[in-house]
Amino acid sequence: MATGPDRKLLRALSGEALSPPPAWVMRQAGRYLPEYRATRAEAGSFLDLCYSPDFAVEVTLQPIRRFGFDGAILFSDILVVPHALGQDVRFVEGEGPRLDALTGRAAFDRLREAGDPAIFTHLAPVFETVGRLRAELPPETTLLGFCGAPWTVASYMIGGRGTPDLAPARALAEADTALVDALIDRLVTVQTEYLVRQFEAGADAVQIFESHAGVLPAARPPTAGTVEPVGDVAESALPGGSEDALTRWSLKPIARMVAGVRARVPGAKIIVFARGSGLDGHARVIPETGADAVGVDWAVDLKALRARLPARTVTQGNLHPETLIAGGDALDAAVDAVRAATAGLPHVFNLGHGITPQTPVAHVERMLARLRG
Ligand code: CP3
């Protein structure tokens, strides 16, 4: 039987312990790279970059050419989905995303229905980018697609922007639970289809970004008793057998997506990154969502997490982006610490959040040299 190309990242996601572990970096195509800044300037706006397959393919390939990462992540943004649903989305230079905030039922009713084919016409350039990437990437490079988790995307749609504590989303989840449930449902349905189409276009695996899991214990359903706003998520389970906020708003909707994707793409490999959910939250991601791998943020003690997970569990992460900025011996030590915490276990090397624009390129080289020894 013919064997396919040797994609190490995909093997790790299937549970193989590899030494050195395969590596990629969240936001690896970004402003720390001079070639990204040049293409970005040529493309015009950030959304033009996302929707032009020529440019999106180019910036996705840039970090692969430079560093030979084991994984390439599709260049796009989690907010192209609200845009495809008909919400106004802009990226303001130096400030980040701005959306026309979804504050009530009327705004929700203006969104496209889940079955509206215009959603996927809007997203067609993304699928073209994926297909061209699979053709142009080295055969051994794993191609990752992605989307945002429903709660994280909903929080931007409701707040209209990134807000530190997601107050608008949490307030609406309490004031009009049915509306936020309907929004989450819409995102589950549309994004399940979105991920399936990324697989069909050539993605080898996908990551679901739950970047805003951290505020969830406070975003309890109205039937909830008193829940401590932060702290040990596992112990904030609601009285009366009711589920806690992390499960209700994050892990359950993600689980529906995972099951929905697998029903259409058997064996689909899925990573879930649940940033800010703490040691307990991270430990619950795979059992509660059915994901293949848990993306670990930098605040979690990787060794402690591994001690709580079965040995076959696949982890990804979690070097602190600031340690990468610092470089030097501290960087070497941090790389070694990730290796030590995951020795003999299936792991994908990555940062614990996205690489930042001020990161020196030489530090990325040093990190990979240390990793690959
Ligand atoms: O990882 C990659 O290289 C792939 C591309 C990618 C981008 N955004 C490109 C991007 C991915 C996977 C994302 C995901 C994303 N987008 C998340 C989840 C991950 C996380 O960081 O927590 C979130 C919350 C967003 C929304 C978003 N997009 C914000 C808050 C911002 C502004 C912050 C910033 O760094 O400016 C963006 C813009 C954005 N998305 C940039 C890039 C490279 C920078 C835009 C630019 O070039 O001007």
Side-chain angles (χ1 to χ4, degrees):
M1 211 175 89
T3 51
D6 181 22
R7 295 189 180 139
K8 290 199 171 61
L9 177 40
L10 210 46
R11 280 168 55 198
L13 294 178
S14 306
E16 256 188 80
L18 298 171
S19 181
W24 68 285
V25 162
M26 289 187 276
R27 288 277 173 93
Q28 63 191 20
R31 286 164 294 186
Y32 74 106
L33 288 178
E35 59 269 36
Y36 171 86
R37 295 196 297 270
T39 308
R40 168 87 160 74
E42 206 188 325
S45 79
F46 175 70
L47 281 175
D48 287 335
L49 183 56
C50 293
Y51 293 131
S52 317
D54 284 343
F55 290 130
V57 167
E58 168 57 24
V59 295
T60 305
L61 294 175
Q62 285 168 350
I64 307 305
R65 287 190 200 114
R66 205 187 247 275
F67 306 114
F69 285 123
D70 298 284
I73 183 157
L74 158 72
F75 190 85
S76 183
D77 197 85
I78 62 169
L79 300 178
V80 298
V81 170
H83 202 209
L85 286 170
Q87 198 171 13
D88 186 38
V89 177
R90 311 168 294 286
F91 282 83
V92 180
E93 210 60 53
E95 286 185 43
R98 291 288 179 277
L99 298 80
D100 52 347
L102 191 158
T103 49
R105 180 60 70 170
F108 177 76
D109 289 341
R110 285 194 294 273
L111 296 177
R112 289 186 171 125
E113 300 280 354
D116 188 337
I119 295 170
F120 293 99
T121 306
H122 180 104
L123 296 169
V126 176
F127 309 125
E128 186 183 334
T129 300
V130 171
R132 282 165 58 175
L133 279 169
R134 191 55 279 172
E136 289 188 36
L137 280 166
E140 67 276 13
T141 310
T142 298
L143 176 56
L144 299 166
F146 73 90
C147 70
W151 170 256
T152 288
V153 176
S155 75
Y156 278 100
M157 295 178 77
I158 295 166
R161 58 193 295 169
T163 46
D165 58 356
L166 300 199
R170 291 189 295 123
L172 193 62
E174 296 222 25
D176 193 344
T177 309
L179 178 63
V180 179
D181 275 336
L183 178 58
I184 297 266
D185 279 350
R186 178 86 41 104
L187 289 166
V188 166
T189 307
V190 167
Q191 296 199 122
T192 297
E193 179 71 26
Y194 183 48
L195 291 182
V196 166
R197 291 195 191 207
Q198 291 183 34
F199 275 109
E200 288 172 352
D204 297 304
V206 296
Q207 175 156 314
I208 299 174
F209 285 88
E210 184 68 288
S211 302
H212 290 164
V215 301
L216 273 173
R220 64 191 185 276
T223 50
T226 306
V227 178
E228 292 303 318
V230 278
D232 194 340
V233 177
E235 283 167 22
S236 65
L238 304 173
S242 177
E243 61 213 0
D244 68 24
L246 185 69
T247 294
R248 189 189 190 297
W249 299 103
S250 173
L251 300 179
K252 267 202 173 169
I254 293 172
R256 288 165 60 201
M257 288 178 60
V258 170
V261 171
R262 294 249 182 77
R264 305 258 309 275
V265 184
K269 293 285 172 253
I270 303 173
I271 309 163
V272 171
F273 175 58
R275 183 166 78 92
S277 63
L279 185 60
D280 288 297
H282 280 75
R284 286 163 54 191
V285 166
I286 292 178
E288 288 197 36
T289 67
D292 298 279
V294 56
V296 184
D297 76 29
W298 53 260
V300 167
D301 180 339
L302 188 56
K303 204 171 173 190
L305 178 65
R306 287 286 355 180
R308 291 184 38 168
L309 297 173
R312 65 174 185 282
T313 302
V314 187
T315 44
Q316 172 180 281
N318 76 337
L319 194 126
H320 201 309
E322 282 173 17
T323 308
L324 184 57
I325 297 174
D329 293 343
L331 175 58
D332 290 348
V335 171
D336 294 351
V338 171
R339 292 287 304 266
T342 58
L345 301 167
H347 185 71
V348 175
F349 187 87
N350 204 317
L351 301 184
H353 196 200
I355 187 169
T356 55
Q358 63 269 40
T359 307
V361 167
H363 293 187
V364 180
E365 289 164 353
R366 180 173 183 143
M367 176 183 80
L368 290 172
R370 185 78 180 184
L371 184 72
R372 292 166 174 170

